[in-house]
Amino acid sequence: MASDRDFTVDHASREDVVPIPGSPTPLSTSEHCRYWDRVPFWCNTTAEDFLNHSWQTANTVQGASKLEDFLSRVLPDDLMSTSQPLPNHSHIRTPSQFIAEVQQAIALAPMSIRLTPHTLSLIKWDDVLNDPIRKQFIPLKSSLLPDHPKLSLDSLHETRDSPVDGIVHRYPDKALFLATSVCPVYCRFCTRSYAIGAPTETVTKHSYPPGRRRWEKIFDYIEKTPSLRDIVVSGGDVYYLNSDQILLIGKRLLSIPHIRRIRFATKGLAVLPMRILTDPAWTENIVRLSNLGRSLGKHVAIHTHFNHPREINWVTIAAAQKLFENGVTVRNQTVLLRGVNDDVETMRTLIHQLADINVIPYYVYQGDMVKGVEDLRTPLSTILNLEKEIRGSISGFMTPNFVVDLPGGGGKRLASSFDSYDPKTGVAIYSAPSVARGVVFEYNDPLPL
């Protein structure tokens, strides 16, 4: 249920009050109450439908052909009329030119297309060439840059560190449990593009279908590895799992004596927040596991993924409040992306807004060296400057760690903890003695433009 707080913004809209199904009190809103009206063919969709997770799932845009159909109906006739695009986009004036760019880019992309109506409704279609949400999910051919010669599809070497199919055990006391390979949306920059989503024209996926038989092998490994204390349940995205599956995994892990911490990783709060509000069984089981863990002296949390302040709207606030009121810890992991959040004001605003809705800003990740997304990757100097400018502008316990997940399986290190970094060559050298003593790990900036 949503809180009885009112969430107000500045301007009027078609409806003054939007009831959320299952909520005892409507949320008073204005500008954002019908944010889906910017998509013409959803402007007659009722709030009851749009704010229901089942409607969102049923109307998800999946695959290149459905995206092309969607774009043909939502793009303005003249893309330049309200935009000042980058020079490499100056030739894209019409919907057909934009769609052709998308088609060419998808043919080269490691990730397939899947987008919720909620996410599509957050895009400013009258400025689609510059929109920071569009850039994360819908590629344009003229934006793409050549891959760095040292990057790879599985840049973190997760498959190498997988003793059992579906588990990554790199750190001494922590492992990654890949419960599924499906997500509610597919990010262009996914570090796990070798496995997540449908196969593309360039990548055959190593999928992790959700199922008890496969999970039992993972449970068995965890039970027989007493050094493990911390499990991240991810994929894919645990939002794809049903309430019974969430409960099964959580209870089984909590029953293992040496497991003290469980994190459920989901981008759902950012891309499908209405599920928290309209799928009581799923949310109740998350709350149930959080409470069960607390009673056992163990910690259960959600780790989510916001990259831009505009991904937080009044529905997000209601969903975050629902979790907060029920004692569920939520932390956020942001990925630093060029043209999305790589300036101080945007990143600082995002961190403050997350803190204000009781989502703990946990990590800001340097972009991973994965294929097909060099246009989104920034030099290491960018994240170093962001930390320098932002640290001290918000309480320390709400200041994220700015980190690099080292190529080759070195794990996460503070971006500023390099052994050496030369901005001219773009080469940073790190060591990670707790993960691989004596091994040198190299992170490379994108090639100069």
Side-chain angles (χ1 to χ4, degrees):
M1 298 178 195
S3 164
D4 60 358
R5 291 173 51 192
D6 285 347
F7 302 104
T8 58
V9 287
D10 296 330
H11 305 294
S13 180
R14 279 176 43 181
E15 295 181 6
D16 293 323
V17 174
V18 174
I20 291 185
S23 173
T25 307
L27 299 177
S28 298
T29 61
S30 52
E31 184 180 49
H32 294 298
C33 69
R34 289 189 58 89
Y35 58 97
W36 58 95
D37 280 353
R38 65 169 56 112
V39 177
F41 49 89
W42 287 333
C43 66
N44 292 321
T45 302
T46 65
E48 183 178 7
D49 282 341
F50 192 87
L51 299 176
N52 186 282
H53 75 283
S54 295
W55 186 94
Q56 288 279 322
T57 302
N59 289 275
T60 288
V61 173
Q62 184 165 352
S65 62
K66 288 187 177 180
L67 177 63
E68 291 160 20
D69 178 65
F70 174 88
L71 293 173
S72 70
R73 295 192 286 164
V74 75
L75 290 169
D77 292 335
D78 185 355
L79 274 63
M80 294 292 187
S81 61
T82 57
S83 292
Q84 293 184 340
L86 295 172
N88 60 330
H89 293 156
S90 60
H91 64 288
I92 308 175
R93 300 194 62 95
T94 67
S96 61
Q97 290 171 332
F98 184 93
I99 292 170
E101 284 269 337
V102 171
Q103 290 171 327
Q104 295 172 55
I106 289 175
L108 301 171
M111 292 299 293
S112 56
I113 295 293
R114 184 180 176 122
L115 286 162
T116 59
H118 171 81
T119 299
L120 289 165
S121 296
L122 297 177
I123 294 172
K124 292 184 176 179
W125 294 101
D126 58 355
D127 191 23
V128 66
L129 293 171
N130 299 313
D131 189 86
I133 298 175
R134 189 279 301 168
K135 290 178 181 180
Q136 299 178 57
F137 303 104
I138 302 175
L140 295 174
K141 174 62 168 62
S142 56
S143 293
L144 302 182
L145 298 173
D147 284 343
H148 193 285
K150 292 193 175 183
L151 61 73
S152 63
L153 191 62
D154 178 14
S155 73
L156 305 183
H157 289 193
E158 291 186 336
T159 51
R160 184 199 65 188
D161 292 334
S162 181
V164 172
D165 193 43
I167 193 164
V168 179
H169 187 185
R170 173 176 300 135
Y171 302 96
D173 70 343
K174 186 185 80 172
L176 179 66
F177 183 147
L178 301 175
T180 178
S181 53
V182 180
C183 303
V185 302
Y186 293 136
C187 306
R188 288 184 54 211
F189 49 89
C190 180
T191 193
R192 215 159 283 132
S193 56
Y194 68 89
I196 303 306
T200 67
E201 293 184 36
T202 59
V203 180
T204 301
K205 306 286 182 167
H206 180 108
S207 64
Y208 299 104
R212 185 71 175 265
R213 180 177 298 180
R214 187 176 69 82
W215 294 344
E216 282 297 333
K217 296 177 183 178
I218 298 173
F219 291 135
D220 184 64
Y221 177 83
I222 294 171
E223 288 170 341
K224 293 178 179 178
T225 311
S227 62
L228 286 173
R229 303 175 70 81
D230 192 327
I231 303 295
V232 179
V233 185
S234 184
D237 192 309
V238 299
Y239 234 46
Y240 184 75
L241 304 178
N242 64 41
S243 60
D244 291 338
Q245 291 172 323
I246 285 284
L247 189 63
L248 183 154
I249 291 174
K251 290 181 72 173
R252 182 68 176 272
L253 291 175
L254 286 171
S255 73
I256 301 173
H258 54 270
I259 298 303
R260 309 300 303 174
R261 293 170 293 278
I262 303 170
R263 309 178 223 172
F264 288 103
T266 174
K267 194 174 172 66
L269 188 59
V271 298
L272 192 61
M274 48 282 292
R275 185 175 192 184
I276 301 295
L277 301 162
T278 64
D279 187 352
W282 197 91
T283 304
E284 286 167 8
N285 278 348
I286 287 288
V287 173
R288 182 178 175 185
L289 290 169
S290 174
N291 291 337
L292 177 60
R294 190 172 291 109
S295 73
L296 296 171
K298 300 184 177 187
H299 187 70
V300 176
I302 286 178
H303 279 207
T304 194
H305 178 190
F306 289 87
N307 289 327
H308 193 274
R310 275 196 15 237
E311 296 169 7
I312 301 172
N313 76 352
W314 62 273
V315 184
T316 320
I317 294 170
Q321 180 67 14
K322 168 79 172 178
L323 295 170
F324 181 67
E325 287 180 356
N326 284 279
V328 178
T329 298
V330 183
R331 304 186 187 99
N332 185 70
Q333 303 182 171
T334 291
V335 178
L336 178 60
L337 301 168
R338 188 164 73 95
V340 174
N341 56 18
D342 59 335
D343 63 281
V344 172
E345 186 57 33
T346 299
M347 185 63 75
R348 181 157 42 207
T349 299
L350 174 63
I351 292 168
H352 276 270
Q353 290 189 5
L354 289 167
D356 286 349
I357 64 172
N358 298 297
V359 173
I360 301 166
Y362 177 45
Y363 278 144
V364 174
Y365 281 96
Q366 176 71 6
D368 288 334
M369 293 180 64
V370 294
K371 288 182 177 292
V373 290
E374 284 293 85
D375 58 302
L376 293 177
R377 208 159 61 86
T378 67
L380 188 68
S381 57
T382 301
I383 197 170
L384 298 174
N385 183 64
L386 286 173
E387 179 176 17
K388 180 180 179 180
E389 292 291 332
I390 290 170
R391 187 167 295 282
S393 66
I394 190 170
S395 300
F397 66 92
M398 283 294 183
T399 301
N401 289 313
F402 294 77
V403 300
V404 180
D405 209 345
L406 295 176
K412 302 174 191 66
R413 310 298 292 179
L414 291 175
S416 58
S417 69
F418 51 79
D419 296 336
S420 65
Y421 173 51
D422 185 346
K424 293 181 180 179
T425 63
V427 178
I429 301 299
Y430 290 85
S431 54
S434 63
V435 176
R437 187 172 296 277
V439 178
V440 171
F441 296 93
E442 182 177 303
Y443 184 88
N444 291 268
D445 286 348
L447 296 172
L449 296 177

